Amino acid sequence: MLQEVKELYKKENVLLSDFGNIIKKELGEGYFLLSEHYDFISLYDKNINEIAYARHNHNHMTMNSNLLNLFSIETIKELEESLILISNYFKDIETIYE
């Protein structure tokens, strides 16, 4: 997941859904990304519960404790780095359109 996010990060005009497809492929179809603010990327589950988020320049991911029960530590670490990269990708964009 992280390597694919890094590759996409290097490209221009990437949509949030492009990154989201990478996340879905790794975590499963029930997960999706949403951005309510241009530098704040959230991960939601199929029940529309926010389970993790990262914000540009904070260099960490805040997560719901349930995430530890859902995924391995390695996957969570990759997810954290991925969400940080994604939030940094969109830091200068005022609105993200899907």
Side-chain angles (χ1 to χ4, degrees):
M1 166 176 46
L2 180 57
Q3 189 57 40
E4 289 181 71
V5 167
K6 285 180 178 179
E7 290 300 316
L8 202 54
Y9 185 86
K10 296 174 188 175
K11 297 180 179 181
E12 292 182 21
N13 301 317
V14 176
L15 299 175
L16 183 59
S17 60
D18 297 330
F19 286 113
N21 289 334
I22 295 170
I23 301 297
K24 280 182 195 176
K25 188 169 72 173
E26 179 70 26
L27 303 183
E29 283 298 317
Y31 298 92
F32 63 95
L33 297 177
L34 180 67
S35 177
E36 295 177 28
H37 194 262
Y38 61 92
D39 65 348
F40 191 91
I41 305 297
S42 297
L43 174 68
Y44 286 85
D45 66 12
K46 62 184 172 194
N47 297 319
I48 313 176
N49 295 313
E50 183 181 51
I51 58 173
Y53 66 86
R55 187 172 182 153
H56 153 68
N57 277 342
H58 286 205
N59 293 324
H60 72 276
M61 172 181 77
T62 302
M63 65 180 180
N64 182 311
S65 61
N66 290 339
L67 201 60
L68 292 171
N69 297 327
L70 297 172
F71 305 108
S72 69
I73 295 297
E74 294 79 23
T75 299
I76 292 171
K77 286 179 181 178
E78 277 199 39
L79 178 62
E80 178 175 39
E81 289 185 55
S82 296
L83 287 181
I84 291 167
L85 278 174
I86 295 167
S87 66
N88 285 332
Y89 183 87
F90 293 110
K91 70 180 183 266
D92 295 325
I93 298 173
E94 291 184 21
T95 306
I96 299 173
Y97 295 99
E98 290 266 1

